[in-house]
Amino acid sequence: DLWLANGRAANDAAARLAAAAGDRLVHPVEANEVFLRVTPDEAAALRAKGFDFYDWAAGEIRLVTAWDSPADAVGLLADAIRAL
């Protein structure tokens, strides 16, 4: 059942980010991808803090978590999203 544990870990990390995002969420989080509304300046601020993500649609970014996303790194990103 390792694949289930790995999937749960990635999905739980995404849920933590979604909880921090509030009304920035573009879509409900159902797996390990999180789509957020951000301005270009906000995206630049997150990148300046060392976070990496995909530019998606205009004014949107895509975050992807993995089975081995470190809890402390997810927490730091969640805090940075809350601070936007």
Side-chain angles (χ1 to χ4, degrees), residues 38-56 60-63 77 80 84:
V38 297
T39 66
D41 288 342
E42 290 169 335
L46 290 173
R47 285 191 171 104
K49 292 181 180 182
F51 300 112
D52 190 26
F53 48 85
Y54 300 94
D55 292 314
W56 202 247
E60 295 178 10
I61 61 173
R62 175 180 168 235
L63 308 168
L77 179 53
L84 291 176

Side-chain angles (χ1 to χ4, degrees), residues 14-82:
R16 287 182 65 196
L17 297 179
D23 63 354
R24 292 179 178 277
L25 278 180
V26 176
H27 305 289
V29 175
E30 298 176 343
N32 67 323
E33 296 181 335
V34 182
F35 296 85
L36 302 180
R37 286 181 200 88
V38 297
T39 66
D41 288 342
E42 290 169 335
L46 290 173
R47 285 191 171 104
K49 292 181 180 182
F51 300 112
D52 190 26
F53 48 85
Y54 300 94
D55 292 314
W56 202 247
E60 295 178 10
I61 61 173
R62 175 180 168 235
L63 308 168
V64 180
T65 58
W67 64 273
D68 61 347
S69 295
D72 58 336
V74 173
L76 290 172
L77 179 53
D79 290 344
I81 290 169
R82 270 190 216 92

